[in-house]
Amino acid sequence: MQPEGRSDRPVLGAGRHLASQHRLGDSRPYVRVPGGPATPGDAAPAPATHAGEPSRPGMGGKAGLALYRDRPQGAGGHRRRSRRRDRLGDPSPMRSLRRGGWTHCLHLGREEDGSLGCQRQQGGAGQGDGERRRGRLAAPAAGARRAIAGSPSQDSRNLAVTTMKRQKIKALLEAGRPQDDVLVKGWVRTRRGSKKVAFIELNDGSTLDNLQLVVDGEAACFAQVEKLSTGAAMAARGRLVPSQGRGQTLELQVAEVVVYGGADEKYPLQKKGHSLEFLREIAHLRPRTNTFGAVFRLRHALAYGIHKFFHERGFYYVHTPIITTSDCEGAGQMFQVTTLPLASGAPPDFAADFFGKPAYLTVSGQLEGELFALALGEIYTFGPTFRAENSNTPRHLAEFWMIEPEMAFYDLDDNMDLAEDFLKSIILHCMSECPRDLAFLNDRYQKDLLDTLKNVTESRFARITYSEAIEILGKSGETFEFPTHWGADLQTEHERYLTEKHFRRPVIVYNYPKAIKAFYMRQNDDGRTVAAMDVLFPRIGEMIGGSQREERLEVLSSRIRELGLPEASYQWYLDTRRFGTAPHSGFGLGFERTLQFITGMGNIRDVIPFPRTPGSAEF
RNA sequence: UCCUCGGUAGCUCAAUGGUAGAGCAACCGGCUGUUAACCGGUUGGUUGUAGGUUCGAGUCCUACCCGAGGAGCCA
C-alpha cells in the first residue's frame, strides 16, 4: 500500500478497486458510487500481503481508554484493569485469564531449517513401536531435509502420522477419556518448558480449548519441538492420558511430530493480549486468536441456526439477485456496477453498459422475496447486502448479510410472533452449540452476556404501539437530546431508554406514522399509520424492521405516486397485486448485528471476517 | 457527513518546550511437570505525513492521513 495513494481517493473505496482493475485490463463488472467518479489517479495497488509476509501498516497504538474499560486486551490493559479491580476488591480478571487459557498469540521465533522437519522417532514413551517399521523410520535424504518444512509428501514417506486418521481436539476433549494412539493436527499457541520436558498448547480450531502436548526431554522428537514457536502448524501422535498437571484433564504424551510450517519472529501474534484495533489490521491472522475463533464459530452456529429454524417451519430459501437494475429499492445509497470506462470524461452512456442500463449492488432482497412468498408461501433470503453510505459507526458496514423472511397470509401479529420466536430460537441454538465460546466471551468482554441472552430467550418481548412509545417517553422524566413528539422517528436514545430502562427486555414497537416508513407498508384504517414493526434490543437498538405489506393495488399505486417514486419501475412488483394478491408480511434482520448481540462484541467490524467500511476494504 | 479524543519500539503505554523510557514480545544464557511459566542479560525509534514557531519541538501552531467513540443514515 502506497501511503501517497491514499490521499486523494474518493470517500468510498470503490474507486481504487475500479482503477486497479482498469489498469489490468479487466473487463469484469466493477462497482462505483454514483456521483463519486473515481479516476485512475486514485489507484493504489493491492497490498502485497499474504499469510507469510503480513504487512503491518500504520502501526501505533489505536486503543482508547474506553475500550479497555469494557473489553480489556493487551498486557497494559490487563495491568490497569487488574489494579483497578484490586482497588475494588475484585480479583477475578486474572483468574479468568488463567481459566480461559487465552493465548491469543505467542511467539516463537526460530529460523526454520532442515532439521526442524527431520522426521525422527521417539523412543521414550514406548508406544506405537509395533506400528513403526524400520523403513519408515529412516531419516530423509539431505535434499528432502532442506525442503521439509513445506513438504507433506516427505512426511508421508516416513511417518505413521500421515497414514492415521486425524482426530479433532474438540472430539477428544468432549469424549474425555484416555486413548492409546491418537493423531492431532493444529497450530501452536504457545510452547514452554525446559531441557527435561516441553509443553505445547495446540489448537486446531475445532474448539476454544487447546490440547496440551507433553514431550519428554529424552524423546527423539524433542529437538524438533524445542524449535517450535507460536503459530507453527504441526501434527502430533501419541498417547492421550490424564494430565499430571493442573489446568487440563487430558494431555497428549507425544511420540512423533511433524512440522508442516513454522512461524518465525515476524509472526505478529504475540504471547500477550492485543487490542481489537490492532487485530483488525491483521484480519488475515486474527481468526487464530481465541476471541475471533469464538466469534467465527458462533457466526457459523448462528447461520446454521437460522437455516434450521426456517427449514423446520417449511420456509424455502430463495436466492435473490445481488446485482439489480431497479433503482427503486429505496433502502439506501447504492454501489453502481458498470463496465463503462471511468476516465473518459464524457457523460456515461448506460445503454452501452453491460446490462444496458444502470445496475447496482442490492440493498435488499425484499421486493423479490415478496414475489416468491406469493408463490411458495413462506420464504426467506439470506445473503450479502451493500450500502454505499458514509456511515462510520460500530454498527454499520458497507457489505453485510441480511435475512429477510417473507410470508403469504401473515398479518402484522403473525409477523411479530414469528420475529420473536425466530430471535429466541437462533439465540438458543448458539447457546447450545457454542457454550465454551460464549463462556469465554462472557468472561472476557461482557460479564453479563450469558445473563442477557438468557433473559432474551426467557422473557416475553414487550409490544407497544408507536403512539404508546411516544407517551412512555414523554412521561419518562428523562431529558432527551431530541425531544419526542408524535410523527418524529425514534432516536437511538429513545430506543435505549425503552429497552434498557423502561422495559429491560426486547421491545416491539408497531404502527408507526406512515410518513416515516417505506411506501410498501400496509396503511392502517386510521389513515395516518402503517402496519410496521421494529424489534428493539438492549444495547444494539433496532434488530429487526418489518411490516405487513400493502396488498391493495390501488392503495399501493397511489402511495407510490404520492411519494413521487418512478411508478413505471414497479410494474413487475405491482403485478403481484394485480394477479392473486394476498395479505403478506415480512421483516429484515441484520446478521452481523445479531451476531454482535450474541457475542457481546462492541464493534460490528469484529464479527465479520473482512469488514468493508468507508475507505477500507483490505484483504 | 458532523462533533470529540487519539497516533511515540513488534504490541500496550510513559515522557514541564531541554539527552525519547517501561512492561510484554524478540534474541542470548540459566532453571523448572509447565500452563499469560520463572530468573539474568542484550537488541530494538526519521515520535503518522508535510510545513511553521523557537536557540531548541514527541510536546506549541496549520493542513492532511489514519484509528476510536458519539451523532445522523440505517440493518
PDB file of all heavy atoms in Angstrom, chain A residues 314-331:
ATOM      1  N   GLY A 314     -40.923 -25.037   7.301  1.00  0.00           N
ATOM      2  CA  GLY A 314     -41.414 -25.118   5.929  1.00  0.00           C
ATOM      3  C   GLY A 314     -41.142 -23.889   5.083  1.00  0.00           C
ATOM      4  O   GLY A 314     -41.781 -23.691   4.049  1.00  0.00           O
ATOM      5  N   PHE A 315     -40.215 -23.056   5.502  1.00  0.00           N
ATOM      6  CA  PHE A 315     -39.818 -21.907   4.684  1.00  0.00           C
ATOM      7  C   PHE A 315     -38.822 -22.359   3.620  1.00  0.00           C
ATOM      8  O   PHE A 315     -38.014 -23.255   3.858  1.00  0.00           O
ATOM      9  CB  PHE A 315     -39.143 -20.826   5.548  1.00  0.00           C
ATOM     10  CG  PHE A 315     -40.090 -20.006   6.387  1.00  0.00           C
ATOM     11  CD1 PHE A 315     -40.910 -20.606   7.328  1.00  0.00           C
ATOM     12  CD2 PHE A 315     -40.134 -18.628   6.244  1.00  0.00           C
ATOM     13  CE1 PHE A 315     -41.775 -19.846   8.125  1.00  0.00           C
ATOM     14  CE2 PHE A 315     -40.996 -17.861   7.022  1.00  0.00           C
ATOM     15  CZ  PHE A 315     -41.811 -18.463   7.964  1.00  0.00           C
ATOM     16  N   TYR A 316     -38.869 -21.726   2.465  1.00  0.00           N
ATOM     17  CA  TYR A 316     -37.906 -22.037   1.413  1.00  0.00           C
ATOM     18  C   TYR A 316     -36.872 -20.911   1.293  1.00  0.00           C
ATOM     19  O   TYR A 316     -37.207 -19.728   1.383  1.00  0.00           O
ATOM     20  CB  TYR A 316     -38.619 -22.231   0.081  1.00  0.00           C
ATOM     21  CG  TYR A 316     -39.542 -23.427   0.093  1.00  0.00           C
ATOM     22  CD1 TYR A 316     -40.926 -23.265   0.104  1.00  0.00           C
ATOM     23  CD2 TYR A 316     -39.016 -24.717   0.128  1.00  0.00           C
ATOM     24  CE1 TYR A 316     -41.764 -24.357   0.153  1.00  0.00           C
ATOM     25  CE2 TYR A 316     -39.861 -25.817   0.178  1.00  0.00           C
ATOM     26  CZ  TYR A 316     -41.230 -25.643   0.189  1.00  0.00           C
ATOM     27  OH  TYR A 316     -42.052 -26.733   0.245  1.00  0.00           O
ATOM     28  N   TYR A 317     -35.661 -21.322   1.092  1.00  0.00           N
ATOM     29  CA  TYR A 317     -34.533 -20.391   0.987  1.00  0.00           C
ATOM     30  C   TYR A 317     -34.449 -19.905  -0.465  1.00  0.00           C
ATOM     31  O   TYR A 317     -34.246 -20.704  -1.376  1.00  0.00           O
ATOM     32  CB  TYR A 317     -33.255 -21.122   1.404  1.00  0.00           C
ATOM     33  CG  TYR A 317     -31.962 -20.349   1.313  1.00  0.00           C
ATOM     34  CD1 TYR A 317     -31.913 -18.957   1.375  1.00  0.00           C
ATOM     35  CD2 TYR A 317     -30.749 -21.036   1.207  1.00  0.00           C
ATOM     36  CE1 TYR A 317     -30.712 -18.286   1.312  1.00  0.00           C
ATOM     37  CE2 TYR A 317     -29.543 -20.367   1.150  1.00  0.00           C
ATOM     38  CZ  TYR A 317     -29.525 -18.987   1.204  1.00  0.00           C
ATOM     39  OH  TYR A 317     -28.339 -18.328   1.140  1.00  0.00           O
ATOM     40  N   VAL A 318     -34.632 -18.635  -0.681  1.00  0.00           N
ATOM     41  CA  VAL A 318     -34.632 -18.050  -2.026  1.00  0.00           C
ATOM     42  C   VAL A 318     -33.397 -17.183  -2.214  1.00  0.00           C
ATOM     43  O   VAL A 318     -33.070 -16.364  -1.354  1.00  0.00           O
ATOM     44  CB  VAL A 318     -35.905 -17.194  -2.250  1.00  0.00           C
ATOM     45  CG1 VAL A 318     -35.828 -16.478  -3.596  1.00  0.00           C
ATOM     46  CG2 VAL A 318     -37.145 -18.065  -2.177  1.00  0.00           C
ATOM     47  N   HIS A 319     -32.724 -17.387  -3.338  1.00  0.00           N
ATOM     48  CA  HIS A 319     -31.524 -16.590  -3.630  1.00  0.00           C
ATOM     49  C   HIS A 319     -31.905 -15.403  -4.498  1.00  0.00           C
ATOM     50  O   HIS A 319     -32.009 -15.531  -5.714  1.00  0.00           O
ATOM     51  CB  HIS A 319     -30.469 -17.453  -4.327  1.00  0.00           C
ATOM     52  CG  HIS A 319     -30.018 -18.606  -3.498  1.00  0.00           C
ATOM     53  ND1 HIS A 319     -30.557 -19.853  -3.622  1.00  0.00           N
ATOM     54  CD2 HIS A 319     -29.107 -18.686  -2.521  1.00  0.00           C
ATOM     55  CE1 HIS A 319     -29.979 -20.676  -2.745  1.00  0.00           C
ATOM     56  NE2 HIS A 319     -29.094 -19.990  -2.063  1.00  0.00           N
ATOM     57  N   THR A 320     -32.114 -14.289  -3.888  1.00  0.00           N
ATOM     58  CA  THR A 320     -32.463 -13.093  -4.649  1.00  0.00           C
ATOM     59  C   THR A 320     -31.182 -12.485  -5.228  1.00  0.00           C
ATOM     60  O   THR A 320     -30.089 -12.723  -4.720  1.00  0.00           O
ATOM     61  CB  THR A 320     -33.189 -12.088  -3.744  1.00  0.00           C
ATOM     62  OG1 THR A 320     -32.435 -11.921  -2.548  1.00  0.00           O
ATOM     63  CG2 THR A 320     -34.565 -12.605  -3.387  1.00  0.00           C
ATOM     64  N   PRO A 321     -31.309 -11.705  -6.292  1.00  0.00           N
ATOM     65  CA  PRO A 321     -30.109 -11.248  -7.003  1.00  0.00           C
ATOM     66  C   PRO A 321     -29.242 -10.286  -6.188  1.00  0.00           C
ATOM     67  O   PRO A 321     -29.746  -9.545  -5.344  1.00  0.00           O
ATOM     68  CB  PRO A 321     -30.669 -10.549  -8.244  1.00  0.00           C
ATOM     69  CG  PRO A 321     -32.107 -10.368  -8.007  1.00  0.00           C
ATOM     70  CD  PRO A 321     -32.547 -11.308  -6.957  1.00  0.00           C
ATOM     71  N   ILE A 322     -27.974 -10.351  -6.477  1.00  0.00           N
ATOM     72  CA  ILE A 322     -27.023  -9.433  -5.847  1.00  0.00           C
ATOM     73  C   ILE A 322     -26.863  -8.192  -6.710  1.00  0.00           C
ATOM     74  O   ILE A 322     -26.725  -7.091  -6.207  1.00  0.00           O
ATOM     75  CB  ILE A 322     -25.678 -10.157  -5.621  1.00  0.00           C
ATOM     76  CG1 ILE A 322     -25.848 -11.218  -4.538  1.00  0.00           C
ATOM     77  CG2 ILE A 322     -24.574  -9.163  -5.267  1.00  0.00           C
ATOM     78  CD1 ILE A 322     -24.690 -12.159  -4.388  1.00  0.00           C
ATOM     79  N   ILE A 323     -26.892  -8.387  -8.020  1.00  0.00           N
ATOM     80  CA  ILE A 323     -26.880  -7.240  -8.925  1.00  0.00           C
ATOM     81  C   ILE A 323     -28.315  -6.925  -9.305  1.00  0.00           C
ATOM     82  O   ILE A 323     -29.082  -7.830  -9.661  1.00  0.00           O
ATOM     83  CB  ILE A 323     -26.065  -7.559 -10.196  1.00  0.00           C
ATOM     84  CG1 ILE A 323     -24.602  -7.784  -9.835  1.00  0.00           C
ATOM     85  CG2 ILE A 323     -26.197  -6.424 -11.217  1.00  0.00           C
ATOM     86  CD1 ILE A 323     -23.747  -8.236 -11.007  1.00  0.00           C
ATOM     87  N   THR A 324     -28.671  -5.680  -9.219  1.00  0.00           N
ATOM     88  CA  THR A 324     -30.048  -5.303  -9.519  1.00  0.00           C
ATOM     89  C   THR A 324     -30.044  -4.065 -10.400  1.00  0.00           C
ATOM     90  O   THR A 324     -29.155  -3.222 -10.308  1.00  0.00           O
ATOM     91  CB  THR A 324     -30.838  -5.024  -8.231  1.00  0.00           C
ATOM     92  OG1 THR A 324     -32.151  -4.586  -8.579  1.00  0.00           O
ATOM     93  CG2 THR A 324     -30.165  -3.949  -7.401  1.00  0.00           C
ATOM     94  N   THR A 325     -31.050  -3.998 -11.280  1.00  0.00           N
ATOM     95  CA  THR A 325     -31.183  -2.789 -12.084  1.00  0.00           C
ATOM     96  C   THR A 325     -32.345  -1.945 -11.614  1.00  0.00           C
ATOM     97  O   THR A 325     -32.658  -0.940 -12.230  1.00  0.00           O
ATOM     98  CB  THR A 325     -31.384  -3.143 -13.572  1.00  0.00           C
ATOM     99  OG1 THR A 325     -32.519  -4.009 -13.687  1.00  0.00           O
ATOM    100  CG2 THR A 325     -30.166  -3.797 -14.147  1.00  0.00           C
ATOM    101  N   SER A 326     -32.982  -2.374 -10.519  1.00  0.00           N
ATOM    102  CA  SER A 326     -34.032  -1.488 -10.033  1.00  0.00           C
ATOM    103  C   SER A 326     -33.420  -0.484  -9.064  1.00  0.00           C
ATOM    104  O   SER A 326     -32.804  -0.851  -8.068  1.00  0.00           O
ATOM    105  CB  SER A 326     -35.170  -2.260  -9.385  1.00  0.00           C
ATOM    106  OG  SER A 326     -34.700  -3.233  -8.528  1.00  0.00           O
ATOM    107  N   ASP A 327     -33.594   0.767  -9.416  1.00  0.00           N
ATOM    108  CA  ASP A 327     -33.082   1.820  -8.549  1.00  0.00           C
ATOM    109  C   ASP A 327     -34.156   2.217  -7.554  1.00  0.00           C
ATOM    110  O   ASP A 327     -34.141   3.290  -7.003  1.00  0.00           O
ATOM    111  CB  ASP A 327     -32.644   3.031  -9.377  1.00  0.00           C
ATOM    112  CG  ASP A 327     -33.775   3.534 -10.260  1.00  0.00           C
ATOM    113  OD1 ASP A 327     -34.868   2.936 -10.211  1.00  0.00           O
ATOM    114  OD2 ASP A 327     -33.570   4.499 -10.986  1.00  0.00           O
ATOM    115  N   CYS A 328     -35.112   1.339  -7.357  1.00  0.00           N
ATOM    116  CA  CYS A 328     -36.280   1.726  -6.570  1.00  0.00           C
ATOM    117  C   CYS A 328     -36.310   1.017  -5.236  1.00  0.00           C
ATOM    118  O   CYS A 328     -37.346   0.965  -4.595  1.00  0.00           O
ATOM    119  CB  CYS A 328     -37.540   1.392  -7.358  1.00  0.00           C
ATOM    120  SG  CYS A 328     -37.579  -0.294  -7.969  1.00  0.00           S
ATOM    121  N   GLU A 329     -35.227   0.483  -4.832  1.00  0.00           N
ATOM    122  CA  GLU A 329     -35.288  -0.286  -3.595  1.00  0.00           C
ATOM    123  C   GLU A 329     -35.381   0.626  -2.391  1.00  0.00           C
ATOM    124  O   GLU A 329     -35.905   0.253  -1.354  1.00  0.00           O
ATOM    125  CB  GLU A 329     -34.091  -1.220  -3.507  1.00  0.00           C
ATOM    126  CG  GLU A 329     -34.093  -2.222  -4.659  1.00  0.00           C
ATOM    127  CD  GLU A 329     -33.115  -3.360  -4.468  1.00  0.00           C
ATOM    128  OE1 GLU A 329     -32.798  -3.681  -3.317  1.00  0.00           O
ATOM    129  OE2 GLU A 329     -32.654  -3.908  -5.474  1.00  0.00           O
ATOM    130  N   GLY A 330     -34.839   1.812  -2.523  1.00  0.00           N
ATOM    131  CA  GLY A 330     -35.126   2.833  -1.528  1.00  0.00           C
ATOM    132  C   GLY A 330     -34.556   2.628  -0.149  1.00  0.00           C
ATOM    133  O   GLY A 330     -34.872   3.358   0.769  1.00  0.00           O
ATOM    134  N   ALA A 331     -33.698   1.647   0.028  1.00  0.00           N
ATOM    135  CA  ALA A 331     -33.201   1.379   1.378  1.00  0.00           C
ATOM    136  C   ALA A 331     -31.873   2.060   1.651  1.00  0.00           C
ATOM    137  O   ALA A 331     -31.306   1.897   2.705  1.00  0.00           O
ATOM    138  CB  ALA A 331     -33.063  -0.122   1.594  1.00  0.00           C
TER     139      ALA A 331
END
